[in-house]
């Protein structure tokens, strides 16, 4: 077997990430490929609106100006190849901008664009056949963008043609790393285990330093290195195994726990993670230490793909406006609630007088009063809080009235209103997400390279059925230090964080929370007490739908999907945490009963005891 190793650096996890990641990896990472993930759903709608204003736009302009421009000559000198989904809704415009910049600098790098994912022009022909994945709703008639999630083979094809820089439109986040691995190792469409492993490589890299200590549950262990946190590098081999590391001398840390949190991030069912090129089974992935700041990853398995692309369409559903005000003094919390109610009531009165319809939706949250914790809040006596008051309406003019009524509360309500941050709030379009599936054969993909447009064959539907969570028995490891239910044992109640790490994110209106036992011995009480029903009850102030739990035996953990838990979805929610990034922190306060003897076992994070 070949001993060839390909080093891939993850240079950005979203549109607006720090250029320091690219600088660090280019100059000190000794990498073969530098990959960037730019495209969240809201990003696509923003880029679509930019293209409406100027047809040559619609791509992540800072990729050209901040990531390619300053380093083009160094990239060429070191022979680093670049892959990024920075093309947004205009990959050809992105390609042209890069080529113009390279010509100005006299740098000889060849640029390719993957195109075909943008299907908004043909959306009318799909109305009769598509339904929203979560709700079953029909497609609205006010689309802004509609893009299929392509896989990695078009990227591999572009590299095979000799491209040094590949830009794509919408593709699955992990494809920017899987594409180079397909190209370098000659993996084929039938190599499902290898494709699943390469997809896991990309999944770990896609959020930048989230796997190197950023966003880590035990933040105090790593915060001293945040200022110069290392961006991730994957050292990949032809058998699909890889090591996660970071540039030497950088901050952060790479441990089994930091990598495990990222493995679970926003995945849903770990045994059936659906991607265009492969259905991944990551449930038995194994992480092992490979030296300081080095973690080896192996054990990914794959199944044939479904033959369908996921399409994310965004559509306009009126407008929204959000304001924040500092409220100070004794009884700041009830003051803030009263001020928020007054703003909404005064605006509603004006609406009625002017013949305008009522608000479509309103939201009041008091930041500092632990409103996001609902009935589990512990703080109600703060003397300094931030009021967030938000509203949605079909009319921008109505929300202009609401925005004008923010500042007057400083003279017409109560002492302690200390001003609205950022001035009068802006009225913005409210963008909703509509996701559906489409047969891959209906969305051809192409590589635009030089003066050629090269077609790429789509994924072909496999014959292997995808298992449902109910058809797979849950595996529970033995609790070698005793069971919380053993008769005669003294027990205590501790927060979940004493036993587990957790990471949360979003998929539309679904909050995804992964919980990982700190040690295999701690699985049993989590397994028996942190059930879908108990999570639904504990997070009931946020969750409007069902809660699912998927076992993750390889990582001694579980994934929880909380449906209808984000106030309509990250791109449309009026909540202050519209993507559920803080939901794991809330769940880590869930009370778990354990034997009192465990407090001295050395396995728990030292924390308070509830009872």
């Amino acid at each position: 077997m070949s001993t060839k190793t390909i080093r891939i650096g993850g240079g950005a996890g979203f549109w607006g990430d720090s250029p320091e990641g690219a600088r660090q990896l280019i100059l000190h990472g000794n990498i073969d490929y530098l990959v960037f993930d730019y495209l969240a759903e809201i990003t696509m709608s923003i880029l679509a609106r930019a293209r409406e204003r100027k047809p040559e736009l619609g791509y992540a302009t800072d990729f050209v100006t901040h990531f390619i421009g300053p380093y083009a000559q160094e990239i060429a000198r070191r022979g680093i190849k670049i892959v990024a989904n920075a093309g947004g809704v205009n990959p050809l415009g992105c390609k042209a901008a890069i080529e113009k910049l390279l010509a100005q600098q006299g740098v000889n790098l060849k640029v390719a664009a993957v195109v075909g994912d943008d299907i908004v022009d043909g959306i009318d022909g799909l109305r009769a056949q598509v339904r929203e994945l979560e709700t079953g709703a029909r497609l609205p008639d006010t689309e802004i963008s509609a893009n299929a999630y392509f896989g990695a083979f078009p990227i591999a094809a572009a590299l095979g043609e000799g491209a040094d820089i590949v830009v794509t439109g919408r593709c699955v986040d992990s494809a920017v790393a899987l594409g180079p691995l397909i190209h370098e190792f000659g993996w084929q469409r039938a190599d499902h285990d290898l494709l699943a492993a390469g997809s896991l490589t990309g999944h770990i890299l896609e959020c930048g330093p989230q796997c190197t200590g950023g966003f880590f549950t035990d933040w105090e262990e790593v915060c001293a290195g945040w200022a110069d946190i290392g961006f991730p590098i994957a050292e990949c081999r032809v058998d699909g195994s890889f090591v996660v590391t970071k540039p030497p001398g950088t901050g952060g840390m790479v441990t089994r726990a930091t990598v495990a949190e990222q493995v679970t991030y926003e995945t849903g069912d770990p045994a059936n993670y659906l991607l265009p090129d492969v259905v991944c089974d990551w449930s038995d992935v194994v992480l092992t230490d490979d030296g300081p700041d080095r973690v080896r990853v192996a054990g990914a398995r794959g199944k044939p793909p479904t033959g369908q692309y996921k399409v994310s369409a965004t559509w306009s559903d009126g407008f929204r406006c959000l304001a924040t005000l500092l409220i100070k003094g004794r009884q700041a919390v009830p003051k803030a609630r009263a001020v928020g109610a007054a703003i909404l009531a005064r605006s509603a009165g004006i609406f009625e007088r002017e013949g305008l319809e009522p608000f479509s939706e309103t939201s009041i949250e008091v930041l500092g009063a632990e409103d996001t914790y609902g009935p589990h809040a512990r703080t109600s006596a703060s003397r300094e809080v931030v009021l967030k008051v938000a509203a949605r309406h079909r009319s921008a003019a109505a929300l202009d009235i609401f925005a004008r009524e923010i500042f007057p509360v400083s003279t017409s309500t109560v002492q302690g209103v200390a001003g609205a941050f950022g001035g009068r709030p802006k009225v913005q379009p409210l963008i909703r997400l509509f996701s559906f599936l489409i047969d891959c054969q209906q969305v051809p993909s192409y590589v635009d390279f030089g003066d050629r447009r090269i077609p790429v064959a789509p994924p072909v539907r496999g014959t292997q059925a995808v298992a449902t969570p109910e058809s797979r028995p849950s595996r529970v490891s033995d609790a070698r230090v005793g069971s919380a239910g053993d008769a005669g044992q003294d027990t205590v109640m501790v927060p979940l964080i004493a036993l587990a790490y957790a990471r949360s994110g979003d998929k539309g209106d679904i909050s995804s929370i992964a919980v990982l036992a700190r040690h295999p011995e701690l699985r049993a009480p989590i397994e028996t007490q942190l059930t879908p029903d108990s999570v639904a009850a504990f997070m009931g102030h946020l969750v409007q739908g069902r809660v699912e739990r998927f076992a993750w035996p390889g990582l001694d953990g579980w994934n929880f999907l909380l449906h209808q838990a984000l106030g309509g979805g990250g791109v449309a929610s009026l909540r202050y945490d519209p993507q559920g990034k803080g939901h794991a922190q809330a769940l880590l306060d869930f009370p778990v009963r354990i034997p009192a003897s465990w407090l001295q076992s050395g396995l728990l994070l030292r924390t308070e005891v509830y009872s």
Side-chain angles (χ1 to χ4, degrees), residues 505-526:
D506 68 306
K507 290 290 183 184
D509 198 18
I510 300 173
S511 177
S512 173
I513 308 177
V515 176
L516 305 172
R518 292 178 178 273
H519 300 278
E521 294 87 343
L522 303 178
R523 279 183 55 99
I526 304 174

Side-chain angles (χ1 to χ4, degrees), residues 390-407:
R392 181 169 66 89
H393 201 283
R394 290 201 300 178
S395 165
L399 289 183
D400 278 333
I401 295 172
F402 165 78
R404 288 198 302 270
E405 294 303 323
I406 301 299
F407 276 118

Side-chain angles (χ1 to χ4, degrees), residues 152-450:
F153 279 89
I155 295 171
L159 294 169
E161 292 293 329
D164 302 298
I165 299 174
V166 181
V167 294
T168 79
R170 199 54 166 123
C171 65
V172 291
D173 301 342
S174 56
V176 294
L178 176 58
L181 296 177
I182 292 171
H183 167 66
E184 292 286 346
F185 295 137
W187 294 347
Q188 303 299 309
R189 289 191 181 274
D191 295 329
H192 300 128
D193 288 350
L194 297 174
L195 297 178
S199 296
L200 182 55
T201 306
H203 178 74
I204 291 174
L205 295 177
E206 71 186 43
C207 292
Q210 277 192 191
C211 69
T212 60
F215 222 54
F216 183 42
T217 298
D218 295 351
W219 63 275
E220 290 176 303
E221 294 184 21
V222 67
C223 64
W226 280 344
D228 186 34
I229 194 166
F231 277 64
I233 298 169
E235 299 175 352
C236 307
R237 301 187 64 174
V238 68
D239 64 355
S241 67
F242 58 98
V243 170
V244 181
T245 185
K246 63 185 183 70
T250 57
M253 64 182 187
V254 180
T255 68
R256 291 170 61 198
T258 66
V259 174
E261 283 195 15
Q262 181 58 28
V263 170
T264 64
Y265 186 56
E266 298 181 341
T267 47
D269 179 357
N272 292 290
Y273 185 57
L274 306 182
L275 295 173
D277 300 316
V278 63
V279 174
C280 300
D281 181 353
W282 294 338
S283 58
D284 288 314
V285 163
V286 176
L287 307 180
T288 54
D289 292 324
D290 193 58
D293 288 320
R294 292 176 62 85
V295 171
R296 183 170 297 278
V297 184
R301 298 290 180 263
K303 294 173 279 193
T306 64
Q308 294 179 306
Y309 288 134
K310 178 182 176 181
V311 176
S312 283
T314 60
W315 60 285
S316 179
D317 187 24
F319 300 86
R320 68 175 179 176
C321 186
L322 183 151
T324 57
L325 300 93
L326 177 64
I327 311 292
K328 301 184 68 171
R330 292 177 178 270
Q331 296 184 300
V333 174
K335 279 184 187 179
R337 299 197 199 286
V339 170
I343 293 170
L344 294 173
R346 181 181 292 181
S347 300
I350 298 172
F351 291 177
E352 184 175 5
R353 187 182 70 227
E354 299 296 326
L356 297 169
E357 63 185 65
F359 288 116
S360 304
E361 182 185 359
T362 61
S363 173
I364 292 175
E365 291 177 283
V366 181
L367 313 179
E370 298 189 357
D371 275 9
T372 60
Y373 283 80
H376 314 295
R378 299 177 184 174
T379 302
S380 60
S382 295
R383 292 175 298 173
E384 181 179 272
V385 298
V386 172
L387 165 66
K388 183 228 75 181
V389 56
R392 181 169 66 89
H393 201 283
R394 290 201 300 178
S395 165
L399 289 183
D400 278 333
I401 295 172
F402 165 78
R404 288 198 302 270
E405 294 303 323
I406 301 299
F407 276 118
V409 298
S410 62
T411 58
S412 63
T413 55
V414 68
Q415 283 192 48
V417 179
F421 181 78
R424 180 182 292 178
K426 296 180 180 179
V427 177
Q428 298 176 319
L430 188 142
I431 305 300
R432 293 195 183 275
L433 179 66
F434 186 99
S435 299
F436 62 92
L437 299 177
I438 189 170
D439 192 298
C440 293
Q441 304 297 323
Q442 294 182 254
V443 190
S445 61
Y446 304 90
V447 172
D448 193 285
F449 186 60

Side-chain angles (χ1 to χ4, degrees), residues 52-71:
E52 286 180 355
R53 293 190 296 270
K54 295 184 70 175
E56 66 271 23
L57 295 180
Y59 60 90
T61 54
D62 64 345
F63 172 67
V64 181
T65 58
H66 290 79
F67 292 86
I68 299 297
Y71 305 110

Side-chain angles (χ1 to χ4, degrees), residues 13-15 37-47 85 149 170 173 312 314 433 506 571 579:
F14 62 96
W15 185 25
D37 174 34
Y38 277 89
L39 301 181
E41 287 81 3
I42 186 62
T43 309
M44 297 300 288
S45 63
I46 293 171
L47 294 175
N85 58 8
Y149 286 73
R170 199 54 166 123
D173 301 342
S312 283
T314 60
L433 179 66
D506 68 306
V571 296
Q579 295 175 303

